[in-house]
Amino acid sequence: MSSDDAQVNDHVRRAPLFAALDDEAARELRATMEEQHLSRGDILFAEGDEGSTLFVVTEGKIKLGRTAPDGRENLLGVLGPGEMFGELSVFDPGPRTATATAVTETTLIGLGHEDLDKWIRGRPEVAYTMLQSLARRLRRTNEFLADLVFSDVPGRVAKALLDLARRFGVQGDEGVHVTHDLTQEELAQLVGASRETVNKALADFQQRGWIRHEARAVVLLDVDRLARRAR
Ligand code: CMP
């Protein structure tokens, strides 16, 4: 593929890897990256695998999950278009720290560590935006840890819904329509609580008129109330 053929869509353009580049450099970088398509349930890589490629989601959603020795799973996050993952094993060579699974039809582009190394050495601004993204992720993780200790499950559910809405929500007449593509089990894994407790919180929010459930989606009808509950 010539660099002119490479499609750098708006989401990709905002990804940390591309954010600091001008259009020409962005096209050049995109042309060195390989595209991959996954269907719902496909595993891109598993926790513990060796890996030296970082990925940017161009379409769809990827969940990052870890499994405890007793088989329970928790989700570190659900990533959508423009979000990056897989950089930990690239910057700090070692096994993958989570399993990456497609939650829906998904397209990704991947960059191997040798190519990444060239870009970072040649363009320090790329390193800077990558560091910024790692810093942001650490901030979010710290906040999540604090919420696990200090917030109750309904508060964490409200926060997770608002976070999904920020990334995948579309404003409609009634409220914010969020197609998260997650099962109730996956939602519970994201919140870090049992399915029963998470379902109870969701049912309570629905009964209060703050949300409405749909299959693998939710409509946020009262964002202000949810935000107050999330605090
Ligand atoms: P890597 O360890 O290569 O593969 C799994 C990826 O999950 C990891 O790189 C990160 O990109 C991503 N990841 C790890 N921890 C978190 C986290 N706490 N929040 C979001 N993403 C994470």
Side-chain angles (χ1 to χ4, degrees):
M1 191 189 281
S2 84
S3 57
D4 285 346
D5 294 335
Q7 291 295 307
V8 189
N9 72 29
D10 287 349
H11 292 302
V12 172
R13 200 70 188 79
R14 284 193 292 269
L17 191 57
F18 288 86
L21 300 176
D22 58 36
D23 288 346
E24 198 192 327
R27 272 199 300 275
E28 195 188 321
L29 170 59
R30 171 66 188 82
T32 63
M33 296 178 73
E34 252 179 65
E35 194 167 88
Q36 230 172 308
H37 299 276
L38 303 175
S39 301
R40 175 172 172 85
D42 284 352
I43 293 178
L44 178 69
F45 57 71
E47 186 179 348
D49 284 357
E50 286 299 313
S52 56
T53 303
L54 81 76
F55 297 92
V56 175
V57 180
T58 54
E59 275 173 66
K61 295 182 191 77
I62 288 282
K63 66 173 182 177
L64 298 166
R66 294 173 62 114
T67 308
D70 66 3
R72 282 180 304 161
E73 288 183 34
N74 94 294
L75 291 186
L76 296 173
V78 179
L79 308 184
E83 293 185 281
M84 177 188 78
F85 64 100
E87 76 291 345
L88 296 190
S89 319
V90 175
F91 289 132
D92 179 25
R96 295 289 191 189
T97 56
T99 299
T101 311
V103 201
T104 177
E105 291 290 311
T106 301
T107 309
L108 307 153
I109 46 176
L111 188 69
H113 86 103
E114 278 173 21
D115 285 327
L116 177 64
D117 198 66
K118 269 185 234 151
W119 277 90
I120 283 186
R121 285 177 203 280
R123 303 250 189 180
E125 64 272 28
V126 172
Y128 193 79
T129 47
M130 300 282 282
L131 281 172
Q132 199 176 35
S133 132
L134 277 174
R136 240 177 240 157
R137 185 168 284 169
L138 183 57
R139 246 182 230 266
R140 276 228 302 274
T141 304
N142 286 348
E143 202 178 314
F144 182 76
L145 280 177
D147 288 342
L148 271 184
V149 178
F150 301 124
S151 289
D152 59 3
V153 174
R156 278 157 34 209
V157 172
K159 203 163 196 174
L161 293 178
L162 291 167
D163 183 52
L164 290 168
R166 191 175 48 77
R167 282 164 327 112
F168 305 119
V170 178
Q171 184 69 50
D173 292 342
E174 271 186 303
V176 188
H177 199 280
V178 190
T179 308
H180 49 62
D181 290 303
L182 300 174
T183 62
Q184 298 220 322
E185 182 70 47
E186 287 169 331
L187 254 183
Q189 290 168 357
L190 188 63
V191 170
S194 73
R195 194 159 74 118
E196 292 71 25
T197 340
V198 171
N199 282 353
K200 215 167 123 197
L202 289 169
D204 178 55
F205 293 170
Q206 175 149 295
Q207 201 245 329
R208 289 169 189 269
W210 298 355
I211 65 168
R212 195 184 62 238
H213 288 298
E214 292 183 358
R216 292 194 178 162
V218 63
V219 185
L220 307 192
L221 303 167
D222 195 335
V223 169
D224 290 344
R225 290 264 168 77
L226 278 172
R228 258 180 270 153
R229 190 60 184 84
R231 239 179 258 145

